[in-house]
Amino acid sequence: MGDSTTPNGVCSSEACTDPGKLFVGGLSWQTTPDSLKNYFQKFGELKECFIMCDPITRRSRGFGFITFVNLEDSDKAVTHEPHILDGKKIDPKKSIPKGP
């Protein structure tokens, strides 16, 4: 799955404005892109899934992004609660691009 952000987490393409894109906060340090993808696939097909990592240490920064193919599936994921992954409550929200 492609990463549409630069190493510092700034959006670098129009994929950052995709209405099916969700920010997922509160991730465990043990959560991997595969476990994040496997968890959210129960809500619908994903076209993108990644976890933001520190560019120096390569350690998870505790958040990531997922993008659903269908907007309705992202809405289902946001309204479903609670979300527990790897023993932690995670918090998916609609992704809002940062201004210039």
Side-chain angles (χ1 to χ4, degrees):
M1 306 245 159
D3 185 340
S4 59
T5 61
T6 60
N8 63 3
V10 176
C11 288
S12 62
S13 76
E14 68 279 352
C16 292
T17 60
D18 189 317
K21 187 169 196 161
L22 301 180
F23 165 87
V24 184
L27 297 177
S28 164
W29 303 124
Q30 288 74 41
T31 300
T32 65
D34 283 340
S35 64
L36 185 64
K37 178 181 176 182
N38 289 338
Y39 177 80
F40 279 100
Q41 280 182 326
K42 65 184 173 186
F43 298 102
E45 184 181 355
L46 297 177
K47 63 180 170 182
E48 184 174 54
C49 176
F50 58 93
I51 294 174
M52 298 306 296
C53 295
D54 181 278
I56 296 170
T57 66
R58 297 290 197 204
R59 186 173 174 188
S60 168
R61 292 175 60 195
F63 69 94
F65 295 90
I66 57 172
T67 306
F68 285 92
V69 172
N70 296 310
L71 178 60
E72 297 80 21
D73 295 335
S74 69
D75 292 338
K76 281 192 296 189
V78 169
T79 58
H80 174 84
E81 289 207 17
H83 290 282
I84 307 292
L85 178 61
D86 295 327
K88 285 196 73 181
K89 183 178 183 207
I90 59 174
D91 187 21
K93 298 177 181 176
K94 291 287 186 178
S95 180
I96 301 169
K98 298 253 181 195

